[in-house]
Amino acid sequence: MSNETNPREKFAQSPAEILQSLPGMGRVMLSTRSGGATHERMGAVETVTIAGNEARLSGAFHDSRIDLTTIVSIVADRTSKMRERVLPRLECQDASGETLFSLIGLDGLEPFDKALEPFGAGETLEPVQREAPGSGGGSADVPEDDLGARSFAAILASGEAIAIDVERAGLFQHWQGALPEPKPAMGFVNIMQGDFHLHLKAGAVSGWERTESEGSVALHARDSEGKSFGLVLRGPAAAFAEVPNVDVISG
């Protein structure tokens, strides 16, 4: 049964309890922004495993770890629409009430609400103003010398499969495979396939920190202030041999 009469509610149950309802929601997108990167995995969540203070989301389309000491509450929001179709979401929030990432029900309200039905009604909250899709100040074009675009072009040319991960407060999310051809558009370098999207804002990456462990190389993206912002590329050294502006970090 649809719950459009209560468009935004905060559940009393713990995130560990609520997250276990995800396999009943059909296709789900876990979307998070970290610095200039938006990292998204899409598809059915096959299993949710709770071990201590960690929730593991897994299956053919998901590989994520959620820190239950950071994510302390979940809000169900039914106010977001795309072409008049409601895309409900679970907002995963920290102790201050900030939403760190969201789990979006791509199959709509019916499976979303049915999966949440055992939890009963939550505390009704006021709707929030959302940023319009495509907003955020991205320029129309990605400059030819953009480091993110050049880096992914070099990786594509290598022919090597890599992992693209995001590490941020409360969440680690992983994708691995052959790199799709990067598509620059609307101020972003876009890496897209059916179960995974990375949208990297032009200018977001000023350099890479390279580390190596057990034969695998990791490149950590740095922002304009030289700080890592959670985007990490992993793979064989050959994948990153031609990536520009890489600083090797020993140890």
Side-chain angles (χ1 to χ4, degrees):
M1 182 176 64
S2 174
N3 195 5
E4 294 180 84
T5 57
N6 193 4
R8 188 168 170 82
E9 59 181 337
K10 182 177 181 178
F11 289 107
Q13 292 83 1
S14 71
E17 294 175 271
I18 297 164
L19 290 169
Q20 291 180 81
S21 70
L22 289 171
M25 292 185 182
R27 293 177 303 131
V28 171
M29 176 167 71
L30 195 165
S31 177
T32 189
R33 292 183 184 179
S34 186
T38 301
H39 193 285
E40 300 170 333
R41 292 298 310 266
M42 292 155 287
V45 176
E46 295 174 19
T47 59
V48 177
T49 305
I50 308 297
N53 290 321
E54 182 177 276
R56 178 74 180 264
L57 278 52
S58 57
F61 308 106
H62 287 275
D63 188 352
S64 305
R65 300 194 301 269
I66 296 171
D67 179 4
L68 298 173
T69 65
T70 301
I71 302 305
V72 299
S73 62
I74 290 183
V75 169
D77 186 283
R78 304 172 179 85
T79 63
S80 182
K81 291 186 177 182
M82 179 175 288
R83 300 184 184 92
E84 299 306 312
R85 181 166 173 255
V86 175
L87 288 179
R89 67 182 64 209
L90 296 178
E91 298 178 355
C92 296
Q93 299 184 344
D94 65 12
S96 71
E98 180 184 357
T99 297
L100 300 182
F101 55 92
S102 295
L103 292 145
I104 300 165
L106 299 177
D107 287 335
L109 276 171
E110 186 173 352
F112 182 86
D113 283 336
K114 185 175 181 180
L116 295 175
E117 195 172 14
F119 302 116
E123 175 191 356
T124 300
L125 302 178
E126 292 296 319
V128 296
Q129 187 69 33
R130 295 197 181 281
E131 186 179 81
S135 65
S139 60
D141 298 312
V142 175
E144 289 186 7
D145 63 350
D146 178 73
L147 180 57
R150 292 169 61 205
S151 298
F152 280 113
I155 295 166
L156 180 69
S158 79
E160 299 282 353
I162 66 166
I164 303 177
D165 298 337
V166 67
E167 301 174 351
R168 62 155 306 161
L171 176 69
F172 170 84
Q173 182 161 246
H174 171 77
W175 173 86
Q176 185 169 358
L179 188 69
E181 182 179 357
K183 303 288 187 183
M186 300 300 293
F188 290 83
V189 179
N190 302 292
I191 309 294
M192 296 186 294
Q193 65 173 42
D195 68 334
F196 171 66
H197 288 179
L198 175 72
H199 306 290
L200 183 62
K201 192 172 183 179
V205 180
S206 68
W208 301 96
E209 292 181 359
R210 181 186 187 275
T211 59
E212 188 169 351
S213 176
E214 299 179 354
S216 178
V217 170
L219 299 187
H220 301 256
R222 298 183 306 191
D223 63 17
S224 60
E225 297 180 351
K227 298 177 181 177
S228 295
F229 60 89
L231 176 65
V232 185
L233 313 182
R234 293 184 170 91
F240 308 125
E242 301 301 323
V243 172
N245 204 8
V246 175
D247 291 333
V248 178
I249 307 300
S250 61

